[in-house]
Each structure stands twice: as structure tokens, then as C-alpha cells.
Amino acid sequence: MTRRRLVTIALLAVALLVAFAFAVVIREANVGGEPNAEVPLKAHAREAGIDVGTAAEQNALRDYPGYRTELAREFSTLTPENAMKWDTLEAERGELRWEGADAAVRFARDRDMLVRGHTILWHNQLPRWLGEGDWTRAELRRVLRAHTRRVIGRYRGRVAEWDVLNEIVADDGKGLRESLWTRVLGDDFAGDVLRWAREADPDAKLYLNEIAADGISPKSDAYFALVQALLAEGAPVDGAGFQAHFNLDGVPDGFEENLRRFSDLGIDVRITELDVALPDGAGDDELAQQADIYAEVARACLRVERCRGITVWGFTDRFSWIEATQPGFGAATLLDRDLDPKPAYDAFAQALRDGGG
Ligand code: G3I
């Protein structure tokens, strides 16, 4: 075979491979977009007097038209999943990267969606210069105050609520979680950060947001005592978030009672990060159990006076954090990898339609 023919065949093979790869990318990027039901979740939620939202994954928001279409159709609030975290915004000290957060806020505001900012102070996803820095109390307070004012100030009037303090309660309920913040600032930083946040945007609602404090437990008791103490000192606390990262163990005992005791303090409560992780290889029974858990959470929120809404932490298994961080678990969301509804979607919608009954 002549050299010329060999080159032609090789070029053809490469062209076919590129075309195939391109087709896969296009197909991948075009998942979803078809309506999941006659009436979207946000309409059922609005009818029931709450809102329903999702965390938005910034690459999916950028690259997948179907993801954008489904998100806008089903949800009325949006929380940037990672784009507003300190390690994303300022990986290098003083070098701010706003594009992901700006894109999420723009997407939401263009669709009249409420934006929940997430998050100002957290022990996780800190840039190395901060997390590994050798700080005096005064220096770290200055850095934290500047960050709080800069981030909340940038979105003043566009972000309606902030998870200002994320997961600061110790898991055993004994005081605050040991972190850079407690090591350097001590245990009395919460009120100051909330006051700095209020100065940066007087109209934004300021939340604490806790993980694994969903039922009645030593941790949720400590969370409750912290919020009471902050309110007693006059700190600007507008709401308490309950992340509700569940699995097939189900909704913890006292979930509704726990929401209600915070609501009875006169602050708003929200389920802020709902997902229900399934063990790999889950079948119809596990999907049905998952559906029941989503529905139970919806009913609990609808029965608590100041429960303002429910945010799911991702709405499709294709972009859920669970697979990447919890080996052996996944399929935690309302829609499957093709953005088609799972039993959980239908049960969640039905519970919203039924109200808190
Ligand atoms: O951005 C980098 C990318 O450059 C790199 O190539 C890639 C692989 O290493 O990692 C990417 O960073 C990942 C980041 O998500 C953005 O995708 C981190 O490794 C990964 O750990 C991080 O996971 C996030 C997790 O918080 C971190 O703890 C999840 O997406 C996010 O859903 C999850 O969300 C938290 C809430 O903010 C607070 N409540 C708990 C919840 C679950 O942990």
C-alpha cells in the first residue's frame, strides 16, 4: 500500500474519532431539558407557601443547556454549590476570582430566582494561605472582616440570604467545632461576623447553617443554645439552616420538633442541603424509601410556621457531590443522570401538592 494511501486512511480514522468524541460531548451536554411534569416543583411549593431551590454546580451551569433549563423550570431559589467558597474566590491571597459566583447570581437574577449565598465562615474549603497561615487574633479578624464585607458587599441587593456561619457547632454538641477560627479567634467570633455581614448588606437575611443537627440531639441542643445566646446579645440572626444530608436511615427523630423550636424563637428556618444518599446498586425498594424520605421532609417543613423553604443539594445524580466524596453511595437526588424524574421527584411533588397535611 502506498505511503499516500496510509496517510489518507490515518487521517480518516482521526477525523472519525474526533467526530465521535464531538458527538458524545454534544449528547452529554444535551441531557435533560424536557419537562418532568405538567407543573414544576416551584409552582407546587409556591402554592404551599414555601420556596424550593437547589445548589447549582458551576461547570454544569456553564456547560449543560439541559441542566440550566431544568434548574430554571423546577426551582425558585439557587445556592452556588462551591463558587462562593473562600478557596474558590481567593485561592491566592488578594487574587479574587468572581466569575463562577457572578455567573450563578446572574443566571438566578435573570430568572427572578432568590439567591442564597454560601458561605462566609466555614472550617472547610479554605485557601492554603489562610488555612495554613500563622495568624494573630487581630490579623485574622481583619482578614475575616474584609472577606465578609467584600463578598457580601459585592452582591448587595442581589443575594437575598447568606449562610454566614457554616457548621460551627461541635459534632458532640460540646461548644464550637475546633477549627482555625476557634484556635485563633476564640469562641466569641460568631456575633461579630454576623454584625459585619449586616453592615455589608442590611437587607440580606443572615443564617447559621448546620450539618447533622436535624433531629433532636446534643448537637441540635447546642445549636439551639447558640442561636438563643446570639439573639440574647442582639446579634443579627435571621434564620437557621438545617442541611438534611440524609441516607436510608431516614429522617432523624424529632426533625419537625427541632425545626419548630427554632421557628418559635422568631427566626426563619430552612432545609438548606437536602439529599438522600443510596448505597451503590440500589433498586426499586431503595428508590421507594428515598422517595418517602423526600416527602417526609417536605411535609415537616410545611407544618412548621417559619419554614421558608427547602433546597436540595443538587437536583440530578449526574452532578451530585455524593459520588465524589462518599465511596459506595450515590443516586441521592430527585433526577437521574439523564435528568429524568425518579420516584423521589414524584413523591416530593405530591407532598408539596398535599401541603403539610
Ligand atoms: O475545583 C477543584 C478542581 O480544580 C479539581 O480538579 C478537583 C479534583 O481535585 O477538585 C475540585 O474541587 C472540589 C470542589 O468540590 C469543587 O468541585 C473538591 O475537590 C471537593 O472536595 C469539593 O466538594 C464539595 C464539598 O462541599 C467540600 O467539602 C462539594 O462539591 C460540595 O457539594 C460540598 O458542599 C458542602 C456544603 O458546602 C456545606 N455542607 C456540606 C456539603 C457537603 O460537604
Side-chain angles (χ1 to χ4, degrees), residues 243-280:
Q243 293 185 12
H245 289 296
F246 294 154
N247 54 37
L248 292 187
D249 292 345
V251 177
D253 293 344
F255 178 60
E256 182 179 326
E257 178 192 343
N258 189 40
L259 295 177
R260 184 167 291 108
R261 66 173 167 170
F262 284 79
S263 171
D264 289 347
L265 292 176
I267 63 171
D268 291 344
V269 296
R270 278 185 175 274
I271 288 95
T272 52
E273 305 185 14
L274 176 60
D275 46 30
V276 182
L278 298 184
D280 287 349

Side-chain angles (χ1 to χ4, degrees), residues 270-312:
R270 278 185 175 274
I271 288 95
T272 52
E273 305 185 14
L274 176 60
D275 46 30
V276 182
L278 298 184
D280 287 349
D284 292 347
D285 289 350
E286 289 80 7
L287 288 167
Q289 290 175 59
Q290 180 185 56
D292 292 344
I293 294 165
Y294 270 97
E296 186 177 344
V297 171
R299 285 191 294 271
C301 178
L302 291 171
R303 287 195 289 251
V304 173
E305 186 188 353
R306 295 188 65 135
C307 186
R308 297 302 181 207
I310 301 169
T311 291
V312 292

Side-chain angles (χ1 to χ4, degrees), residues 33-230:
E34 307 78 21
N36 295 314
E38 196 61 38
V39 177
L41 295 173
K42 66 183 178 186
H44 295 310
R46 187 171 48 243
E47 192 65 28
I50 65 171
D51 59 43
V52 66
T54 183
E57 201 284 321
Q58 68 185 70
N59 298 327
L61 198 64
R62 183 191 60 211
D63 301 336
Y64 287 77
Y67 180 90
R68 292 195 294 270
T69 303
E70 299 258 9
L71 195 161
R73 184 174 196 281
E74 296 288 354
F75 301 103
S76 55
T77 87
L78 181 150
T79 305
E81 184 172 0
N82 290 296
M84 290 181 169
K85 291 173 180 173
W86 209 325
D87 68 343
T88 304
L89 292 178
E90 192 180 8
E92 302 300 330
R93 188 174 187 179
E95 295 177 25
L96 276 298
R97 303 287 305 273
W98 299 105
E99 54 269 24
D102 286 353
V105 172
R106 189 167 47 249
F107 177 88
R109 300 284 297 166
D110 287 352
R111 294 159 180 80
D112 294 327
M113 297 174 77
L114 178 146
V115 183
R116 300 201 76 254
H118 177 87
T119 179
I120 297 300
L121 180 146
W122 193 24
H123 64 280
N124 205 347
Q125 289 185 269
L126 297 176
R128 292 184 66 154
W129 64 266
L130 175 64
E132 297 174 4
D134 181 15
W135 304 100
T136 66
R137 185 173 185 277
E139 286 167 347
L140 192 60
R141 278 176 61 86
R142 270 198 300 278
V143 166
L144 179 54
R145 184 166 188 258
H147 178 72
T148 303
R149 292 161 63 92
R150 176 165 48 209
V151 178
I152 295 183
R154 179 182 183 87
Y155 298 107
R156 180 170 177 160
R158 293 185 290 156
V159 170
E161 305 186 351
W162 281 96
D163 290 335
V164 178
L165 301 166
N166 200 47
E167 303 177 17
I168 68 171
V169 176
D171 285 332
D172 61 7
K174 292 174 181 158
L176 297 187
R177 177 190 300 274
E178 199 269 334
S179 71
L180 165 76
W181 309 113
T182 54
R183 282 195 303 275
V184 179
L185 302 181
D187 278 359
D188 62 352
F189 57 83
D192 287 339
V193 183
L194 289 162
R195 280 181 281 275
W196 298 335
R198 181 67 98 220
E199 286 164 15
D201 185 348
D203 299 322
K205 288 198 170 183
L206 308 179
Y207 273 67
L208 286 86
N209 186 40
E210 272 304 332
I211 191 166
D214 308 293
I216 299 290
S217 68
K219 182 168 185 177
S220 65
D221 290 344
Y223 186 21
F224 186 67
L226 173 64
V227 170
Q228 284 181 302
L230 288 168

